[in-house]
Amino acid sequence: MTAHDVVDVVALGESMVTFLPTRPGRLADVPSFDRAIGGAESNVACGLAAAGHAVRWVSRVGTDGFGDHLVETIRGYGVEVASVGRDPVRPTGVYFRTAGDRAGADHEVAYYRAGSAASAMSTATVDRAALRAGRILHLSGITAALSPGCRELLWELTEPGPDRPLVSFDVNHRSRLWPTAEGPRVLLELARRADLVFVGEDEAEEAWGMTGGAVAIREALPEPQVLVVKGGGTGAAAFASGPGQRGGADSRGVFVPAPTVDVAAATGAGDAFAAGFLSATLRGLPLPDRLRHGHLWAAAALTVPGDLAAPPSRDHADRLAALDDRAWGTLRLGPGWTRTEATPEEVPTP
């Protein structure tokens, strides 16, 4: 595969080497860390590639060992990485975090990404032909926060045009990444230029002051052809407009509750949800099924300790997604559920 071959999905964004503590406690007290990788867009890319889709990751990393590790690890998932640039001056970003849920009051994250190789992504430093050679181009608001050059690049990629692929945009509002207060405005403008948008109810309220639930968010953000509003553990809603939409799409949207999940760690679930929804979109499934696949892929991430989890097999996910509403509503998924076709945790209770 070459950098300009057409693939199912192209994902653009920074990935970093992640250091995970070997035991709970403050960063000041943790004696050692295990190395992993983390990055919203590369998480999506790896999940889709693991499910058999042709995927390209475009980014920049340093000419250092951490850059080598990122490229080799992501390639190991089956992702094409020929368009990842190497920066001889800027380093690969890294970060450290404490154990446990990111929502905890004692959770700490220490980022070392300022001036990273990925922050130098721009219209002059990435292969834009490689970015456009996909059925779907997946972007994230995190990239927009990295630098003015990154924002200019995303603005160009979301410009309407005859060669533009379907643009998927995960808002991913991270207030502490923005050096100024312009973040919410930039994210809203990019969301309005995208075809498919993922946003959480909580981040829509935090960034834009949008309250009143998924319907109110859709009313305030009518431009995307498909809008997915995530409500955390309660479920997600999808709204669609335009030709070719199936599965009950109308002005009220489609809501699918999330299954009950025995959570090991919450990291990576949003990226996994996006990957599952995009996989089902590529297959032309109706909106309710896309949401169910998103929930199932998120459950795969929620039941493992790290950011990346192998998605359920297509047959397994299709079987669960085809459950009737009553059976889906009683579904419970625990650690290891993706490795077997039927376990006690996933059998609907009477």
Side-chain angles (χ1 to χ4, degrees):
M1 183 186 296
T2 68
H4 295 166
D5 287 340
V6 176
V7 296
D8 292 328
V9 177
V10 179
L12 168 76
E14 179 173 38
S15 190
M16 295 181 292
V17 172
T18 308
F19 289 94
L20 308 174
T22 55
R23 73 180 192 193
R26 302 184 309 155
L27 287 178
D29 300 327
V30 175
S32 59
F33 296 81
D34 291 326
R35 185 181 65 177
I37 68 169
E41 302 85 0
S42 60
N43 286 348
V44 171
C46 290
L48 286 166
H53 295 285
V55 187
R56 173 180 300 125
W57 176 54
V58 179
S59 187
R60 286 176 68 79
V61 299
T63 54
D64 48 36
F66 289 147
D68 293 341
H69 176 65
L70 280 174
V71 173
E72 291 166 5
T73 302
I74 293 171
R75 181 193 292 121
Y77 279 87
V79 177
E80 186 256 283
V81 295
S83 296
V84 177
R86 306 302 293 261
D87 193 313
V89 177
R90 299 173 181 84
T92 304
V94 302
Y95 77 95
F96 298 75
R97 68 173 175 85
T98 50
D101 195 331
R102 287 178 178 170
D106 58 349
H107 185 69
E108 299 174 71
V109 179
Y111 286 107
Y112 298 91
R113 72 195 306 176
S116 69
S119 71
M121 291 188 296
S122 70
T123 57
T125 61
V126 300
D127 187 341
R128 285 172 286 170
L131 284 168
R132 295 182 184 277
R135 295 170 59 190
I136 295 175
L137 172 60
H138 183 67
L139 308 172
S140 162
I142 293 174
T143 303
L146 298 181
S147 69
C150 286
R151 290 192 285 282
E152 180 186 2
L153 175 61
L154 263 61
W155 192 258
E156 178 182 286
L157 293 172
T158 56
E159 184 72 26
D163 63 339
R164 188 181 107 163
L166 187 148
V167 174
S168 165
F169 181 68
D170 194 335
V171 172
N172 264 327
H173 177 237
R174 302 288 187 271
S175 58
R176 61 185 163 186
L177 293 183
W178 288 90
T180 67
E182 68 176 340
R185 175 186 61 79
V186 172
L187 294 176
L188 185 58
E189 290 174 350
L190 288 169
R192 285 176 168 156
R193 292 162 68 92
D195 302 302
L196 166 57
V197 172
F198 299 94
V199 65
E201 287 189 33
D202 55 348
E203 63 183 346
E205 180 175 0
E206 179 185 1
W208 305 321
M210 295 181 184
T211 60
V215 172
I217 294 171
R218 178 54 164 177
E219 290 174 351
L221 190 58
E223 294 87 356
Q225 183 178 348
V226 177
L227 174 68
V228 179
V229 181
K230 298 174 291 181
T234 61
F239 303 83
S241 60
Q245 298 303 325
R246 299 182 292 122
D250 59 23
S251 60
R252 295 170 297 176
V254 175
F255 176 80
V256 172
T260 301
V261 179
D262 297 327
V263 177
T267 55
D271 304 329
F273 181 97
F277 191 94
L278 291 176
S279 176
T281 298
L282 288 163
R283 297 172 59 198
L285 300 183
L287 276 181
D289 287 2
R290 297 184 207 180
L291 289 169
R292 285 193 175 191
H293 279 268
H295 286 315
L296 291 169
W297 286 42
L302 289 167
T303 50
V304 299
D307 284 18
L308 282 168
S313 70
R314 180 172 295 185
D315 288 345
H316 194 184
D318 283 347
R319 179 175 62 83
L320 294 180
L323 292 172
D324 61 36
D325 289 345
R326 178 181 175 278
W328 175 265
T330 58
L331 191 63
R332 187 184 187 107
L333 303 170
W337 74 270
T338 62
R339 297 193 298 269
T340 177
E341 285 301 300
T343 68
E345 290 84 1
E346 69 167 73
V347 175
T349 57

